[in-house]
Amino acid sequence: MVKKIIFFLAWLGILALSLTGINFVLFPDKYIFSLPVLTRLSIFELKMIVLSVSFIYLFLVLYRFITLFERKKEYEKVTENGIVKISNTTINNYVLDLLKKDSEISNIKVSSERKGKKFYIYVKFQILAQLNVTDKISAVQNSVKEELNNNIGIEVKEVVVNISGIATQQASNTGVN
């Protein structure tokens, strides 16, 4: 956390430097630079150097802010042998296979998204009418969280379950709803 704060302050410093440099070029009478090294350069050369460095800093800050809020497509797990990338499709298929083992739920649809370092899993399915729905939803949520954390190493922040319908015992056996 301390690294992130220091990094943020460094980028704020770069932003301030770039804005100061651009201000120096546009309004030269507002700042007085009287260093001996700067007296050997003409005013035009000095302005071009400051303007170039300032625009480079400004583009670096803008690039960093844009990439800071960019969503990563894959989950990355660092191991001793390198980086393992796991796509959302792989995670969705894993959760789908996990839920297909349960005979009390059917018509399963799974999607997921990544926000920061956390994953959110969205599950939609039909459930049998004879079950206690709230207990079953809680069991599915806990099962998905535990399986992904234990087997793949992905920390799931939340599992959102939507019930698309309640099926009877006959309908789930015959496939007709």
Side-chain angles (χ1 to χ4, degrees):
M1 186 65 181
V2 174
K3 278 177 140 180
K4 289 183 179 182
I5 292 171
I6 292 171
F7 186 76
F8 177 73
L9 292 175
W11 278 104
L12 280 180
I14 290 173
L15 178 64
L17 282 173
S18 66
L19 293 176
T20 303
I22 291 170
N23 195 11
F24 166 70
V25 171
L26 297 176
F27 308 107
D29 54 339
K30 300 288 183 187
Y31 298 102
I32 300 172
F33 294 100
S34 59
L35 295 174
V37 174
L38 300 178
T39 57
R40 292 187 219 148
L41 298 173
S42 70
I43 297 296
F44 178 74
E45 291 172 337
L46 182 61
K47 285 182 178 181
M48 289 301 111
I49 291 170
V50 170
L51 186 63
S52 301
V53 171
S54 298
F55 274 118
I56 290 171
Y57 279 143
L58 184 62
F59 286 128
L60 285 174
V61 167
L62 293 175
Y63 174 74
R64 179 60 186 153
F65 281 137
I66 288 169
T67 58
L68 184 65
F69 299 111
E70 182 178 86
R71 287 189 182 179
K72 295 183 178 177
K73 301 286 184 198
E74 299 173 334
Y75 182 80
E76 293 180 355
K77 185 80 172 161
V78 178
T79 65
E80 65 268 0
N81 296 326
I83 297 175
V84 177
K85 293 183 179 182
I86 305 170
S87 69
N88 282 352
T89 306
T90 304
I91 295 169
N92 294 347
N93 289 338
Y94 184 82
V95 172
L96 184 65
D97 290 341
L98 175 70
L99 294 176
K100 280 184 179 178
K101 293 176 186 175
D102 192 344
S103 63
E104 299 167 340
I105 57 177
S106 61
N107 296 336
I108 306 164
K109 293 182 178 115
V110 179
S111 64
S112 63
E113 71 176 339
R114 182 178 177 176
K115 292 181 181 176
K117 294 181 181 179
K118 305 280 186 185
F119 259 91
Y120 292 85
I121 306 291
Y122 303 99
V123 181
K124 186 175 184 179
F125 56 78
Q126 285 186 345
I127 193 166
L128 291 178
Q130 287 82 13
L131 298 175
N132 185 343
V133 176
T134 57
D135 289 342
K136 187 61 180 179
I137 290 172
S138 178
V140 166
Q141 289 173 326
N142 290 334
S143 171
V144 169
K145 273 187 175 183
E146 288 174 8
E147 287 289 326
L148 287 175
N149 194 13
N150 294 340
N151 295 339
I152 300 179
I154 296 174
E155 186 177 338
V156 178
K157 173 117 174 118
E158 187 176 349
V159 178
V160 178
V161 176
N162 292 320
I163 303 297
S164 62
I166 298 178
T168 62
Q169 184 68 30
Q170 277 183 337
S172 65
N173 288 340
T174 61
V176 177
N177 291 328

